[in-house]
Amino acid sequence: MEHIRATLDSLMGVNRNGDKKYLEIKHFTDERVCKYDLMGFCPYHSRLRMSACPSQQCPVNPTLKQQYEKEKSQGKRFKFEEDTIRYYERLIRDVEREKVRNSKRLEVQNKTSVRDQDNEEIIAIEKEMHRLTNEIEKAGEEGEVEEALEKTSKLEELTKEKEALKARTNKTGNHQELIVCDVCAKILSVNETDQRLADHFAGTTHLGYQKVREQLEKLQKEIDSFSTRNHHHSSHSGKSNNHYGRPRHYKDNYERRAYKRRRY
């Protein structure tokens, strides 16, 4: 019941019945609004975090999201954007460390051979097959018969290629071969059934880290674009622009981060 009430509050507002006007959230900067969801993705919606989102409004009301996008399009920046980027970066650092740990664990177990290369190719083919399957379903729903048939033919070719690789792998050894997922750091067995591998790539954890990586890349590009425009404006005006009255050090955080990416 509480979950249903919270969902209605986020979509229709806490004052949907007209009896709680004092609790109504009028601006996206309100501390009760989830800034992660506001900017595109809240990790608490996936298994990346085991507890519920601490923000009162998550998911965020679409009206507040539109309000944020409008002010952002006007060139305004907010401190919670920098905080969100740091949080996403911390999540990625954690999973990258987990990848290193898992890789070291498997380094002793998996011998360097032709079989290792085959296993990596099988994983890559599985990902491509999963993507093609989704595209075929979408094409079918949209009535794109020729496109669906073309992708189905390619899917069949990939299936044959994967089976050939598996057969070659089995000839070189019968023990279970493991590999670390490049996105979420989970350990996978290339000898798993097609369905179990597909379940992994469509799983909450894998998709969650994939979404965090995509959001981080998107936000970093926005920072680069903002820094470039702001530097161009400052050069022409001959003044140091602290942007909408915000502290100079706040803008510097964006420019410093953008500079490091261009440098490295």
Side-chain angles (χ1 to χ4, degrees), residues 56-151:
Q56 180 177 320
Q57 187 175 120
C58 184
V60 177
N61 189 304
T63 301
L64 295 179
K65 287 189 175 184
Q66 293 171 6
Q67 187 184 68
Y68 167 60
E69 291 297 331
K70 181 179 179 180
E71 294 197 20
K72 189 171 69 171
S73 68
Q74 295 170 351
K76 296 182 180 180
R77 311 304 305 188
F78 304 90
K79 187 179 182 303
F80 64 75
E81 295 172 327
E82 181 76 9
D83 294 339
T84 298
I85 287 174
R86 283 199 295 268
Y87 179 59
Y88 285 167
E89 287 177 333
R90 188 166 69 250
L91 288 176
I92 298 304
R93 282 197 303 271
D94 289 345
V95 77
E96 288 298 322
R97 281 195 290 265
E98 183 69 15
K99 280 170 58 178
V100 172
R101 285 194 295 268
N102 287 341
S103 295
K104 287 181 178 179
R105 283 174 53 196
L106 298 181
E107 190 174 348
V108 177
Q109 185 173 339
N110 289 342
K111 295 181 180 179
T112 303
S113 64
V114 175
R115 185 172 47 194
D116 294 333
Q117 183 178 351
D118 288 346
N119 288 336
E120 292 179 2
E121 290 182 20
I122 290 173
I123 291 294
I125 289 173
E126 285 287 351
K127 290 182 180 179
E128 181 65 12
M129 289 175 65
H130 179 68
R131 184 184 67 80
L132 277 174
T133 301
N134 291 335
E135 291 182 358
I136 291 170
E137 292 177 355
K138 184 178 179 181
E141 293 173 356
E142 296 176 351
E144 299 291 342
V145 180
E146 292 185 5
E147 181 181 350
L149 290 174
E150 181 181 345
K151 292 183 183 297

Side-chain angles (χ1 to χ4, degrees), residues 46-48 183-184 186 200 203-210:
S46 68
R47 293 180 183 175
L48 306 190
V183 174
C184 66
K186 295 296 182 183
H200 168 79
T204 308
T205 302
H206 182 89
L207 293 178
Y209 278 112
Q210 182 174 303

Side-chain angles (χ1 to χ4, degrees), residues 26 31 72 75 101 111 142 147 164 174 194-195 216 226 240:
K26 298 181 178 180
E31 62 180 11
K72 189 171 69 171
R101 285 194 295 268
K111 295 181 180 179
E142 296 176 351
E147 181 181 350
N174 295 320
D194 294 348
Q195 184 57 52
L216 181 58
F226 165 77
S240 177

Side-chain angles (χ1 to χ4, degrees), residues 38-50:
L38 180 69
M39 295 182 67
F41 177 68
C42 176
Y44 288 92
H45 289 173
S46 68
R47 293 180 183 175
L48 306 190
R49 288 294 177 265
M50 299 306 292

